[in-house]
Amino acid sequence: MFKLNEDLTTYGKLAAAMLLVLALVGCGSGGGADNILCGGDPCSTDTTDDSTDEIDNIEDEGEPDSIEYVSASPTQMSIQGAGGDETSVVTFMVTDTAGDPISGIEVTFALNTSAGGVSLASTSDTTNTDGEASTIVQAGTVATSVRVIATVSSLSGETVSDALIVSTGIADFDSFSLAFSSCYPHAWDYVGNTVDVSARTGDVFNNPPPDGTQVSFFTEGGLVEASCSLIGGACSAVWTGQNPRAIEGVRQGRSAVLISMTGAESFTDVNSNGVFDDGDIFDTTAGYFGVDPQDDRPE
């Protein structure tokens, strides 16, 4: 008959004996390696624990040694009232002599210009567990470039961010262009021949809108990609010859391509502040081909 209590007692004695053997091996008996526990001698009668100092040294952060610029998001802001992103988050990192980030360090911020009222939401921040401190730059009312200057009181010198651009960021009509790699593709009785359709645009200062701004494409014949994303103010889509084709009337063999994007009508910016205000000119006289108004464009 199986006797649980007796068996447990027997197995308990056997387990204790095995643990004793393992302990002796860990202490160097039988050729085992020494110092396998806590970096010290587990068999020593000295009860002093020298591992505490090592742990403290790991946890203690060093003194600030440097501050570096990390990022700005976004790098281009819109002028106040022009729409788009009017703020940017700028981040710096504080590290010690070992290059490790340090938390709890106060970082002070300033701008290299106040043109148009560009400003900071806060002039200081304390580094987080990643050693990072941030501030928010708020755009002003004129186009300019601006940099953030970061300092730590215990460090000599300062660190300067990359330049942030303040512009309208909104494409305007007279900067909008459309072009084709070929205006006469062999696509009447062939399918699959392609044409690159390029869009280029700029804002009221003829600066490129932010990268990633979308342009949409439409066509009445063939096939065209739906959209492209601006990079440096330009992008392109591919038109492909296929059905449907214009086979009747004066437009036989022709296919119009339309591009569109969110933007603004153009005007003469007399004071060059990027915003339509008193003194600026909005021309409603006949312009393009003597039909449409010069500035007042239809949707």
mmCIF file of all heavy atoms in Angstrom, residues 210-252:
data_model
loop_
_atom_site.group_PDB
_atom_site.id
_atom_site.type_symbol
_atom_site.label_atom_id
_atom_site.label_comp_id
_atom_site.label_asym_id
_atom_site.label_seq_id
_atom_site.Cartn_x
_atom_site.Cartn_y
_atom_site.Cartn_z
ATOM 1 N N PRO A 210 4.502 71.389 -47.163
ATOM 2 C CA PRO A 210 5.123 70.304 -46.395
ATOM 3 C C PRO A 210 5.136 68.989 -47.166
ATOM 4 O O PRO A 210 4.189 68.665 -47.887
ATOM 5 C CB PRO A 210 4.242 70.205 -45.146
ATOM 6 C CG PRO A 210 3.612 71.561 -45.026
ATOM 7 C CD PRO A 210 3.410 72.043 -46.418
ATOM 8 N N ASP A 211 6.227 68.239 -47.021
ATOM 9 C CA ASP A 211 6.297 66.910 -47.623
ATOM 10 C C ASP A 211 5.140 66.059 -47.120
ATOM 11 O O ASP A 211 4.763 66.119 -45.948
ATOM 12 C CB ASP A 211 7.617 66.220 -47.266
ATOM 13 C CG ASP A 211 8.813 66.829 -47.982
ATOM 14 O OD1 ASP A 211 8.594 67.673 -48.877
ATOM 15 O OD2 ASP A 211 9.952 66.470 -47.644
ATOM 16 N N GLY A 212 4.588 65.264 -48.012
ATOM 17 C CA GLY A 212 3.460 64.411 -47.651
ATOM 18 C C GLY A 212 2.114 64.996 -48.027
ATOM 19 O O GLY A 212 1.097 64.291 -47.968
ATOM 20 N N THR A 213 2.074 66.283 -48.423
ATOM 21 C CA THR A 213 0.820 66.879 -48.893
ATOM 22 C C THR A 213 0.341 66.123 -50.132
ATOM 23 O O THR A 213 1.124 65.826 -51.030
ATOM 24 C CB THR A 213 1.017 68.366 -49.229
ATOM 25 O OG1 THR A 213 1.464 69.062 -48.061
ATOM 26 C CG2 THR A 213 -0.285 68.989 -49.701
ATOM 27 N N GLN A 214 -0.955 65.815 -50.175
ATOM 28 C CA GLN A 214 -1.498 64.969 -51.239
ATOM 29 C C GLN A 214 -2.016 65.771 -52.433
ATOM 30 O O GLN A 214 -2.627 66.828 -52.278
ATOM 31 C CB GLN A 214 -2.637 64.109 -50.688
ATOM 32 C CG GLN A 214 -2.210 63.104 -49.633
ATOM 33 C CD GLN A 214 -1.345 62.009 -50.219
ATOM 34 O OE1 GLN A 214 -1.736 61.313 -51.151
ATOM 35 N NE2 GLN A 214 -0.154 61.851 -49.655
ATOM 36 N N VAL A 215 -1.747 65.244 -53.627
ATOM 37 C CA VAL A 215 -2.310 65.764 -54.869
ATOM 38 C C VAL A 215 -3.142 64.653 -55.494
ATOM 39 O O VAL A 215 -2.682 63.504 -55.589
ATOM 40 C CB VAL A 215 -1.204 66.205 -55.852
ATOM 41 C CG1 VAL A 215 -1.823 66.731 -57.151
ATOM 42 C CG2 VAL A 215 -0.313 67.268 -55.223
ATOM 43 N N SER A 216 -4.367 64.970 -55.926
ATOM 44 C CA SER A 216 -5.268 63.970 -56.510
ATOM 45 C C SER A 216 -5.287 64.102 -58.032
ATOM 46 O O SER A 216 -5.169 65.205 -58.583
ATOM 47 C CB SER A 216 -6.685 64.145 -55.960
ATOM 48 O OG SER A 216 -6.711 63.928 -54.565
ATOM 49 N N PHE A 217 -5.463 62.962 -58.718
ATOM 50 C CA PHE A 217 -5.460 62.916 -60.176
ATOM 51 C C PHE A 217 -6.757 62.298 -60.682
ATOM 52 O O PHE A 217 -7.276 61.348 -60.094
ATOM 53 C CB PHE A 217 -4.286 62.067 -60.686
ATOM 54 C CG PHE A 217 -2.928 62.665 -60.426
ATOM 55 C CD1 PHE A 217 -2.365 62.618 -59.167
ATOM 56 C CD2 PHE A 217 -2.216 63.289 -61.444
ATOM 57 C CE1 PHE A 217 -1.120 63.161 -58.911
ATOM 58 C CE2 PHE A 217 -0.967 63.839 -61.211
ATOM 59 C CZ PHE A 217 -0.416 63.777 -59.941
ATOM 60 N N PHE A 218 -7.265 62.837 -61.808
ATOM 61 C CA PHE A 218 -8.460 62.323 -62.458
ATOM 62 C C PHE A 218 -8.209 62.331 -63.964
ATOM 63 O O PHE A 218 -7.494 63.191 -64.472
ATOM 64 C CB PHE A 218 -9.681 63.199 -62.140
ATOM 65 C CG PHE A 218 -9.899 63.460 -60.680
ATOM 66 C CD1 PHE A 218 -9.271 64.538 -60.059
ATOM 67 C CD2 PHE A 218 -10.717 62.644 -59.921
ATOM 68 C CE1 PHE A 218 -9.459 64.785 -58.706
ATOM 69 C CE2 PHE A 218 -10.910 62.892 -58.565
ATOM 70 C CZ PHE A 218 -10.287 63.960 -57.958
ATOM 71 N N THR A 219 -8.815 61.400 -64.678
ATOM 72 C CA THR A 219 -8.693 61.384 -66.135
ATOM 73 C C THR A 219 -10.001 60.916 -66.751
ATOM 74 O O THR A 219 -10.749 60.130 -66.144
ATOM 75 C CB THR A 219 -7.539 60.481 -66.603
ATOM 76 O OG1 THR A 219 -7.379 60.597 -68.016
ATOM 77 C CG2 THR A 219 -7.793 59.022 -66.244
ATOM 78 N N GLU A 220 -10.279 61.393 -67.986
ATOM 79 C CA GLU A 220 -11.502 60.975 -68.678
ATOM 80 C C GLU A 220 -11.252 59.783 -69.594
ATOM 81 O O GLU A 220 -12.188 59.161 -70.088
ATOM 82 C CB GLU A 220 -12.060 62.138 -69.498
ATOM 83 C CG GLU A 220 -11.108 62.646 -70.568
ATOM 84 C CD GLU A 220 -11.692 63.815 -71.344
ATOM 85 O OE1 GLU A 220 -12.887 64.123 -71.132
ATOM 86 O OE2 GLU A 220 -10.968 64.410 -72.155
ATOM 87 N N GLY A 221 -10.000 59.452 -69.844
ATOM 88 C CA GLY A 221 -9.678 58.319 -70.687
ATOM 89 C C GLY A 221 -8.433 57.626 -70.179
ATOM 90 O O GLY A 221 -7.560 58.247 -69.566
ATOM 91 N N GLY A 222 -8.331 56.326 -70.398
ATOM 92 C CA GLY A 222 -7.197 55.590 -69.866
ATOM 93 C C GLY A 222 -7.330 55.403 -68.361
ATOM 94 O O GLY A 222 -8.425 55.412 -67.794
ATOM 95 N N LEU A 223 -6.186 55.259 -67.717
ATOM 96 C CA LEU A 223 -6.154 55.011 -66.275
ATOM 97 C C LEU A 223 -5.051 55.863 -65.666
ATOM 98 O O LEU A 223 -3.969 55.985 -66.246
ATOM 99 C CB LEU A 223 -5.863 53.529 -66.014
ATOM 100 C CG LEU A 223 -5.798 53.062 -64.562
ATOM 101 C CD1 LEU A 223 -7.207 52.908 -64.003
ATOM 102 C CD2 LEU A 223 -5.059 51.728 -64.468
ATOM 103 N N VAL A 224 -5.310 56.460 -64.502
ATOM 104 C CA VAL A 224 -4.283 57.250 -63.837
ATOM 105 C C VAL A 224 -4.282 56.927 -62.349
ATOM 106 O O VAL A 224 -5.336 56.636 -61.762
ATOM 107 C CB VAL A 224 -4.492 58.769 -64.053
ATOM 108 C CG1 VAL A 224 -5.723 59.275 -63.289
ATOM 109 C CG2 VAL A 224 -3.245 59.563 -63.657
ATOM 110 N N GLU A 225 -3.104 56.909 -61.740
ATOM 111 C CA GLU A 225 -3.007 56.683 -60.297
ATOM 112 C C GLU A 225 -3.764 57.769 -59.548
ATOM 113 O O GLU A 225 -3.802 58.925 -59.977
ATOM 114 C CB GLU A 225 -1.542 56.642 -59.873
ATOM 115 C CG GLU A 225 -0.796 55.445 -60.421
ATOM 116 C CD GLU A 225 0.678 55.454 -60.075
ATOM 117 O OE1 GLU A 225 1.256 56.556 -59.916
ATOM 118 O OE2 GLU A 225 1.259 54.364 -59.972
ATOM 119 N N ALA A 226 -4.335 57.397 -58.416
ATOM 120 C CA ALA A 226 -5.271 58.281 -57.723
ATOM 121 C C ALA A 226 -4.606 59.501 -57.107
ATOM 122 O O ALA A 226 -5.200 60.581 -57.059
ATOM 123 C CB ALA A 226 -6.025 57.507 -56.654
ATOM 124 N N SER A 227 -3.383 59.353 -56.611
ATOM 125 C CA SER A 227 -2.766 60.475 -55.904
ATOM 126 C C SER A 227 -1.264 60.279 -55.818
ATOM 127 O O SER A 227 -0.745 59.199 -56.098
ATOM 128 C CB SER A 227 -3.354 60.616 -54.490
ATOM 129 O OG SER A 227 -3.032 59.481 -53.709
ATOM 130 N N CYS A 228 -0.588 61.325 -55.390
ATOM 131 C CA CYS A 228 0.834 61.245 -55.055
ATOM 132 C C CYS A 228 1.109 62.181 -53.894
ATOM 133 O O CYS A 228 0.315 63.066 -53.592
ATOM 134 C CB CYS A 228 1.724 61.574 -56.252
ATOM 135 S SG CYS A 228 1.616 63.277 -56.865
ATOM 136 N N SER A 229 2.234 61.981 -53.216
ATOM 137 C CA SER A 229 2.602 62.774 -52.042
ATOM 138 C C SER A 229 3.760 63.698 -52.398
ATOM 139 O O SER A 229 4.789 63.232 -52.904
ATOM 140 C CB SER A 229 3.006 61.852 -50.881
ATOM 141 O OG SER A 229 1.929 61.021 -50.510
ATOM 142 N N LEU A 230 3.586 64.964 -52.111
ATOM 143 C CA LEU A 230 4.618 65.943 -52.448
ATOM 144 C C LEU A 230 5.900 65.695 -51.657
ATOM 145 O O LEU A 230 5.871 65.418 -50.465
ATOM 146 C CB LEU A 230 4.129 67.363 -52.155
ATOM 147 C CG LEU A 230 3.004 67.918 -53.031
ATOM 148 C CD1 LEU A 230 2.622 69.319 -52.551
ATOM 149 C CD2 LEU A 230 3.407 67.956 -54.499
ATOM 150 N N ILE A 231 7.015 65.809 -52.342
ATOM 151 C CA ILE A 231 8.333 65.851 -51.728
ATOM 152 C C ILE A 231 9.074 67.015 -52.356
ATOM 153 O O ILE A 231 9.305 67.022 -53.565
ATOM 154 C CB ILE A 231 9.122 64.538 -51.934
ATOM 155 C CG1 ILE A 231 8.388 63.359 -51.289
ATOM 156 C CG2 ILE A 231 10.530 64.658 -51.358
ATOM 157 C CD1 ILE A 231 9.065 62.024 -51.511
ATOM 158 N N GLY A 232 9.389 68.012 -51.555
ATOM 159 C CA GLY A 232 10.032 69.194 -52.113
ATOM 160 C C GLY A 232 9.140 69.953 -53.072
ATOM 161 O O GLY A 232 9.624 70.618 -53.992
ATOM 162 N N GLY A 233 7.825 69.841 -52.896
ATOM 163 C CA GLY A 233 6.883 70.581 -53.734
ATOM 164 C C GLY A 233 6.503 69.888 -55.021
ATOM 165 O O GLY A 233 5.790 70.471 -55.844
ATOM 166 N N ALA A 234 6.943 68.632 -55.243
ATOM 167 C CA ALA A 234 6.660 67.952 -56.500
ATOM 168 C C ALA A 234 6.372 66.481 -56.269
ATOM 169 O O ALA A 234 6.848 65.877 -55.303
ATOM 170 C CB ALA A 234 7.823 68.099 -57.469
ATOM 171 N N CYS A 235 5.581 65.900 -57.159
ATOM 172 C CA CYS A 235 5.355 64.454 -57.179
ATOM 173 C C CYS A 235 4.735 64.099 -58.519
ATOM 174 O O CYS A 235 4.375 64.982 -59.308
ATOM 175 C CB CYS A 235 4.473 63.990 -56.018
ATOM 176 S SG CYS A 235 2.765 64.586 -56.054
ATOM 177 N N SER A 236 4.588 62.832 -58.803
ATOM 178 C CA SER A 236 4.032 62.418 -60.088
ATOM 179 C C SER A 236 3.215 61.147 -59.947
ATOM 180 O O SER A 236 3.409 60.360 -59.014
ATOM 181 C CB SER A 236 5.140 62.220 -61.124
ATOM 182 O OG SER A 236 6.009 61.170 -60.735
ATOM 183 N N ALA A 237 2.308 60.965 -60.913
ATOM 184 C CA ALA A 237 1.503 59.756 -61.021
ATOM 185 C C ALA A 237 1.654 59.214 -62.438
ATOM 186 O O ALA A 237 2.101 59.926 -63.340
ATOM 187 C CB ALA A 237 0.036 60.057 -60.705
ATOM 188 N N VAL A 238 1.272 57.968 -62.632
ATOM 189 C CA VAL A 238 1.425 57.316 -63.936
ATOM 190 C C VAL A 238 0.063 57.186 -64.611
ATOM 191 O O VAL A 238 -0.884 56.638 -64.035
ATOM 192 C CB VAL A 238 2.081 55.933 -63.786
ATOM 193 C CG1 VAL A 238 2.147 55.219 -65.143
ATOM 194 C CG2 VAL A 238 3.471 56.069 -63.191
ATOM 195 N N TRP A 239 -0.017 57.711 -65.863
ATOM 196 C CA TRP A 239 -1.193 57.513 -66.708
ATOM 197 C C TRP A 239 -0.904 56.341 -67.637
ATOM 198 O O TRP A 239 0.184 56.245 -68.209
ATOM 199 C CB TRP A 239 -1.490 58.770 -67.518
ATOM 200 C CG TRP A 239 -2.682 58.649 -68.442
ATOM 201 C CD1 TRP A 239 -3.963 58.982 -68.163
ATOM 202 C CD2 TRP A 239 -2.678 58.173 -69.802
ATOM 203 N NE1 TRP A 239 -4.783 58.740 -69.236
ATOM 204 C CE2 TRP A 239 -4.007 58.244 -70.265
ATOM 205 C CE3 TRP A 239 -1.695 57.697 -70.650
ATOM 206 C CZ2 TRP A 239 -4.373 57.852 -71.545
ATOM 207 C CZ3 TRP A 239 -2.050 57.297 -71.927
ATOM 208 C CH2 TRP A 239 -3.379 57.374 -72.375
ATOM 209 N N THR A 240 -1.878 55.450 -67.805
ATOM 210 C CA THR A 240 -1.705 54.260 -68.639
ATOM 211 C C THR A 240 -2.780 54.220 -69.715
ATOM 212 O O THR A 240 -3.969 54.428 -69.435
ATOM 213 C CB THR A 240 -1.792 52.975 -67.795
ATOM 214 O OG1 THR A 240 -0.813 53.032 -66.759
ATOM 215 C CG2 THR A 240 -1.542 51.737 -68.650
ATOM 216 N N GLY A 241 -2.360 53.961 -70.954
ATOM 217 C CA GLY A 241 -3.303 53.871 -72.061
ATOM 218 C C GLY A 241 -4.141 52.610 -72.010
ATOM 219 O O GLY A 241 -3.606 51.504 -71.913
ATOM 220 N N GLN A 242 -5.463 52.776 -72.049
ATOM 221 C CA GLN A 242 -6.416 51.665 -72.073
ATOM 222 C C GLN A 242 -7.801 52.244 -72.269
ATOM 223 O O GLN A 242 -7.974 53.464 -72.373
ATOM 224 C CB GLN A 242 -6.360 50.876 -70.762
ATOM 225 C CG GLN A 242 -6.849 51.669 -69.539
ATOM 226 C CD GLN A 242 -6.993 50.809 -68.314
ATOM 227 O OE1 GLN A 242 -6.015 50.258 -67.835
ATOM 228 N NE2 GLN A 242 -8.219 50.692 -67.791
ATOM 229 N N ASN A 243 -8.802 51.389 -72.356
ATOM 230 C CA ASN A 243 -10.177 51.891 -72.386
ATOM 231 C C ASN A 243 -10.527 52.504 -71.039
ATOM 232 O O ASN A 243 -10.007 52.068 -70.006
ATOM 233 C CB ASN A 243 -11.148 50.744 -72.694
ATOM 234 C CG ASN A 243 -11.120 50.363 -74.157
ATOM 235 O OD1 ASN A 243 -10.818 51.192 -75.017
ATOM 236 N ND2 ASN A 243 -11.429 49.107 -74.439
ATOM 237 N N PRO A 244 -11.412 53.538 -71.028
ATOM 238 C CA PRO A 244 -12.132 54.096 -72.189
ATOM 239 C C PRO A 244 -11.272 55.054 -73.011
ATOM 240 O O PRO A 244 -10.338 55.660 -72.481
ATOM 241 C CB PRO A 244 -13.292 54.845 -71.522
ATOM 242 C CG PRO A 244 -12.720 55.294 -70.214
ATOM 243 C CD PRO A 244 -11.812 54.187 -69.769
ATOM 244 N N ARG A 245 -11.626 55.185 -74.302
ATOM 245 C CA ARG A 245 -10.954 56.109 -75.207
ATOM 246 C C ARG A 245 -11.999 57.015 -75.854
ATOM 247 O O ARG A 245 -13.131 56.589 -76.105
ATOM 248 C CB ARG A 245 -10.186 55.361 -76.291
ATOM 249 C CG ARG A 245 -9.051 54.492 -75.793
ATOM 250 C CD ARG A 245 -8.391 53.781 -76.972
ATOM 251 N NE ARG A 245 -7.204 53.047 -76.590
ATOM 252 C CZ ARG A 245 -7.176 51.781 -76.191
ATOM 253 N NH1 ARG A 245 -8.327 51.119 -76.086
ATOM 254 N NH2 ARG A 245 -6.051 51.178 -75.888
ATOM 255 N N ALA A 246 -11.604 58.257 -76.142
ATOM 256 C CA ALA A 246 -12.495 59.187 -76.844
ATOM 257 C C ALA A 246 -12.452 58.839 -78.336
ATOM 258 O O ALA A 246 -11.405 58.974 -78.973
ATOM 259 C CB ALA A 246 -12.049 60.626 -76.620
ATOM 260 N N ILE A 247 -13.555 58.354 -78.859
ATOM 261 C CA ILE A 247 -13.565 57.897 -80.256
ATOM 262 C C ILE A 247 -14.497 58.727 -81.129
ATOM 263 O O ILE A 247 -14.631 58.473 -82.322
ATOM 264 C CB ILE A 247 -13.978 56.416 -80.337
ATOM 265 C CG1 ILE A 247 -15.371 56.203 -79.746
ATOM 266 C CG2 ILE A 247 -12.944 55.547 -79.615
ATOM 267 C CD1 ILE A 247 -15.888 54.763 -79.899
ATOM 268 N N GLU A 248 -15.146 59.745 -80.562
ATOM 269 C CA GLU A 248 -16.074 60.562 -81.340
ATOM 270 C C GLU A 248 -15.815 62.033 -81.084
ATOM 271 O O GLU A 248 -15.243 62.428 -80.062
ATOM 272 C CB GLU A 248 -17.527 60.222 -80.983
ATOM 273 C CG GLU A 248 -17.933 58.788 -81.297
ATOM 274 C CD GLU A 248 -19.363 58.500 -80.885
ATOM 275 O OE1 GLU A 248 -19.972 59.392 -80.238
ATOM 276 O OE2 GLU A 248 -19.874 57.409 -81.192
ATOM 277 N N GLY A 249 -16.275 62.899 -82.010
ATOM 278 C CA GLY A 249 -16.232 64.336 -81.826
ATOM 279 C C GLY A 249 -14.845 64.924 -81.997
ATOM 280 O O GLY A 249 -13.882 64.262 -82.379
ATOM 281 N N VAL A 250 -14.766 66.223 -81.656
ATOM 282 C CA VAL A 250 -13.512 66.955 -81.869
ATOM 283 C C VAL A 250 -12.423 66.520 -80.896
ATOM 284 O O VAL A 250 -11.242 66.805 -81.113
ATOM 285 C CB VAL A 250 -13.745 68.479 -81.731
ATOM 286 C CG1 VAL A 250 -14.692 68.975 -82.819
ATOM 287 C CG2 VAL A 250 -14.306 68.809 -80.350
ATOM 288 N N ARG A 251 -12.800 65.842 -79.831
ATOM 289 C CA ARG A 251 -11.816 65.391 -78.852
ATOM 290 C C ARG A 251 -11.363 63.960 -79.130
ATOM 291 O O ARG A 251 -10.778 63.315 -78.258
ATOM 292 C CB ARG A 251 -12.383 65.499 -77.438
ATOM 293 C CG ARG A 251 -12.636 66.942 -77.009
ATOM 294 C CD ARG A 251 -13.237 67.020 -75.619
ATOM 295 N NE ARG A 251 -12.426 66.360 -74.629
ATOM 296 C CZ ARG A 251 -11.324 66.884 -74.073
ATOM 297 N NH1 ARG A 251 -10.911 68.082 -74.472
ATOM 298 N NH2 ARG A 251 -10.642 66.224 -73.169
ATOM 299 N N GLN A 252 -11.627 63.485 -80.337
ATOM 300 C CA GLN A 252 -11.260 62.115 -80.669
ATOM 301 C C GLN A 252 -9.769 61.892 -80.434
ATOM 302 O O GLN A 252 -8.927 62.655 -80.898
ATOM 303 C CB GLN A 252 -11.601 61.816 -82.120
ATOM 304 C CG GLN A 252 -11.329 60.367 -82.525
ATOM 305 C CD GLN A 252 -11.790 60.078 -83.940
ATOM 306 O OE1 GLN A 252 -12.317 60.950 -84.610
ATOM 307 N NE2 GLN A 252 -11.605 58.848 -84.399
#
